[in-house]
Amino acid sequence: MALLPAGADMAVHWCDPRLQSGQVATPGAADHLHARASVALAGVHPDPDRHPFDILWEDAGTRVAVAVDPPRRADPGDLQRWVAPARAALVLVTRAELASAQIRTLRKSERLQQALYEIADLASSTLEMRDMLSRIHVLVASLMSAENFYIALYDDVHATMRFLYFADQNDPWRPDPDDDIPLSEMPNSLTAALLRHGQPVMGPSDTIRAQLDVPRDGNQGPESADWLGVPVRREARVAGAIVVQSYNRPDSYTHEDRALLEYVAQHILTALDRKHAQRELERRVRQRTVELQRANAVLQDEIVERQRAERLQRALFRISEMSVSAGSLLRFYADVHEVVNGLVYAENFYIAMLVGDGERIEFPYSVDERDPVRPPRRLSNGLTEFVIRSGQPMLADRATIDRLQASGDVHSQGTRAHCWLGVPLSRDETVIGAIAVQSYSPHILFDERDQELLTFVARHIGSALSRKRAQESLKAAHAELESRVQARTRELQEANRELQALVGERTRAEQRLIHQARHDQLTGLPNREHLLERLDAAIAAVQAGNARAFAVLFFDLDRFKLVNDSIGHAAGDDLLVEVGRRVRRALSGADTVARLGGDEFAVLLQDVPAAETAQRVASRLLAEIGRPMWVAGRELFPSASIGIAFWQPRYRHGEEMLRDADAAMYRAKARGRDRSELFDEEMRAEAMRLLDLEADLRRAILSDDFEPYFQPIVRLSDGAVVGHEALLRWHHEQRGLLAPPQFIGVGEDTGLIAQVDWLMYRHVVRWLSRQAHGYVSINVSPRHFVSDDFAERLLQLLDDAGADPRRLRIEITEVALLDDSPRALRTLNALRDRGVLALLDDFGTGFSALSYLHRFPIQSIKIDQSFVAGLVGASRAESLALVRAILALAGTLGIETIGEGIEREEQRELLAQLGCNFGQGYLFGRPAPEG
């Protein structure tokens, strides 16, 4: 504008992706100047005849429009001379602003990169976890507004979260970073809702609460003017969340901040994982150091004893050689004497051996300065016989010998010694003789070391093979110890090299982390996240018309657990790697093979014209996988079950196709394995039904939509009601009242049935506490008998409700008794001790073994309704015989009987005549809710 001739007016408008849009004008610029500049900016070039001095400049997405009104008496030549420098100045200024914007962007990227580097540095530093997280907080605050910042870790298995770091200016609450908080204790927490939601959320806390359906709760801290939270994922699972918030500045965070925080969050999770790995490594290094110190102490002790041990080993080697090379037995004994004399004082030495029937001893070898001849003799109470009888070494000085003689325990044979040492000779753990050395001089005495040494030598004289094994064991121990020292040294060196390599890896850290996050570490194949990205891209390409249809193959290995359990997880890993190689070789380069975890794999087949093509590829893969392979020295014949999902227009996300292929895979397993199945609409409808039923069941558990219905149990002799059986009913919000067969399968598959049972038991116990007469029986699944605390928990439920345990009975099936008989017996005895008796349900339909009726405390058996129904009709004779046998068995064992499913009077009369005590069925009353 400084170059503009005096009296002229001008308006400048511009737009650019980096500079955004804007305008500037001289103070006297009229509205029509802005209108001309706006029209030119929209792409309409100025009319040179009407407005010769207007300018429109475009370059690489940048557009600048200038509208000029010259002064009334301006020299046209001056204006023409103004146009060229004005255009040049306009270009220079615009490009300078673009350069500045690019510099700001680069500086921001540099700050982000520097922050990521510093996060990586912090993970490998020696800082404590709290200090490291404080530094990370500072780094995040350098990228966005983060005065209020916290990190939460999430355990989706146990539904708990832990606030690893918490910094807030307004909230006085300070959680313990080591405290795992159940999500159920914070039902109205935005953080808990974010973890369940699994997607980033941003905005005022009131808006987010409405979005996530979270009621406002004053106990959850102050409300935020702006709140930004992103989940942190480990593979496909939510592992935690990072949250920043502002209490006084609305719109503090932008979508760019959200994307930035998501990006940084994954690096923070990686840093935390690396920090935990580093701490674990340091712990292992400390542990290895302690082990090495202990090993070194042992080695030092061994060095002290080495010369003595070497001398002993030479003696033992010589004894071993003599056992096979001595010409005669006497020569062997003489050589043994020489060896022993090299180890201890043995100038007076003899060998005694049991002979005959073991009642006599002889001395095949004896050298003695006082008693040169030792004739054979019957066993008496000499020192030699004492050692042979006891089988233990004996070291005795003159005083000890005199004391033993005075007490009559021994009677010394020959000249009395000043010190005598004898040890037993054994063969195959049987004492066959003794070796003795003695001294007649008070200056030469034996000690415990000599006793140990002579005992050791004596054992090797009896068996050269035993000595060899002991030596090999000693060598193996030395080799193992040296190997462990070398292995620990290598581990320390490797750890040191890894730490040094981290310094050189900083510039490649981001690429490496991205690769690791997108690939399986064992097989090198893409992981689930990578595959889902490819699937989403393939779906988008087909929807846009840029690609042909495709298919997803989901497969896992049949009976893979057997491989792990039989030959080890390392062999299982080798099997997985080889399967990955075979599948890659069998496919084209355009297809994607991914390992999803465990033994599950998935394949994205590109350019598949029809589902039959995918089925042919699946058959080829089954043949390739099924070829025999050698793993851990064994020949294996692997097989797989493959599910196929072919592209359909209804698919919007890759996760949907993967889910359907997974469902088809399970159908392939159900139909015999080693085959493929194509996902169809019938399978889709069944999957959706089961999925909806599971979701309904989970909601029903939360809202406790279950109610017990009670059916009376009567005494057949007079029809008096003695008790009731509690039967489970579900009040479904759409389908009305449901009986167990309509949902029990889903409950068993998901494990939810245990929660449903305890809700049912709580209702029954409360009802029991309000009723004055009779007992009530509840059905107990075999699943409960695998729990050690079932009896304790049930009895506590009775105590809390103030109900009498003697009025409660449990109904169990034969399966519950046979799956884990010792545990079942403990549970039943614990309940019986408090008065809770057991009924055996559906008797006669299972094993019906006398053994468990005798072993277990069964109070009553319920005759199955199929036998009761057969008492009337064509099968009357067979049913009558079975029922009579059951009643006879129960009567013999003193067990009560209850007939189930009695619907007709003649059934009741016949059961009563046969001796059945009680009955239950529609004849006496249908199941009804609490009245």
Side-chain angles (χ1 to χ4, degrees), residues 637-744:
F637 296 85
S639 66
S641 300
I642 301 180
I644 306 170
F646 186 71
W647 156 254
Q648 298 292 337
R650 69 170 181 272
Y651 290 123
R652 292 293 180 267
H653 302 287
E655 189 69 50
E656 299 173 357
M657 291 192 70
L658 205 59
R659 177 201 63 209
D660 290 350
D662 188 12
M665 183 270 291
Y666 277 105
R667 172 175 285 186
K669 281 188 176 297
R671 292 186 175 181
R673 298 190 178 98
D674 195 18
R675 58 180 294 144
S676 64
E677 289 289 336
L678 179 66
F679 186 84
D680 53 22
E681 289 303 319
E682 177 185 352
M683 200 182 304
R684 171 182 168 81
E686 178 63 16
M688 293 302 296
R689 187 190 70 80
L690 293 177
L691 186 64
D692 291 342
L693 187 59
E694 178 184 348
D696 292 346
L697 187 58
R698 292 182 183 276
R699 286 194 298 271
I701 291 173
L702 293 176
S703 57
D704 192 5
D705 291 337
F706 302 97
E707 179 184 4
Y709 271 47
F710 299 94
Q711 186 175 29
I713 300 174
V714 303
R715 190 166 43 239
L716 295 181
S717 60
D718 57 5
V721 175
V722 297
H724 293 82
E725 179 182 357
L727 302 171
L728 175 64
R729 295 294 184 268
W730 174 13
H731 289 282
H732 193 279
E733 52 189 359
Q734 280 93 28
R735 300 168 59 185
L737 192 66
L738 300 182
Q742 297 174 274
F743 62 87
I744 200 75

Side-chain angles (χ1 to χ4, degrees), residues 461-494:
I461 293 173
S463 175
L465 181 60
S466 297
R467 182 185 65 253
K468 178 66 174 176
R469 288 177 178 173
Q471 290 175 344
E472 291 298 327
S473 177
L474 182 61
K475 290 181 181 179
H478 285 303
E480 180 183 359
L481 182 58
E482 292 173 0
S483 175
R484 289 179 61 190
V485 171
Q486 294 173 358
R488 300 303 182 267
T489 302
R490 286 195 300 271
E491 288 181 7
L492 291 174
Q493 292 173 345
E494 181 64 24

Side-chain angles (χ1 to χ4, degrees), residues 160 222 567 581 585 615 701 765 850:
T160 62
I567 58 178
R581 292 196 193 104
R585 287 197 301 264
Q615 290 175 312
I701 291 173
V765 168
L850 292 174

Side-chain angles (χ1 to χ4, degrees), residues 15 75-76 147 197 202 291 346 496 555 639 685 851 904 912 923 931:
C15 67
D75 184 357
E147 297 86 354
H197 182 57
M202 181 176 67
E291 291 178 357
N496 186 50
F555 69 92
S639 66
S851 59
R904 301 171 62 174
L923 179 65

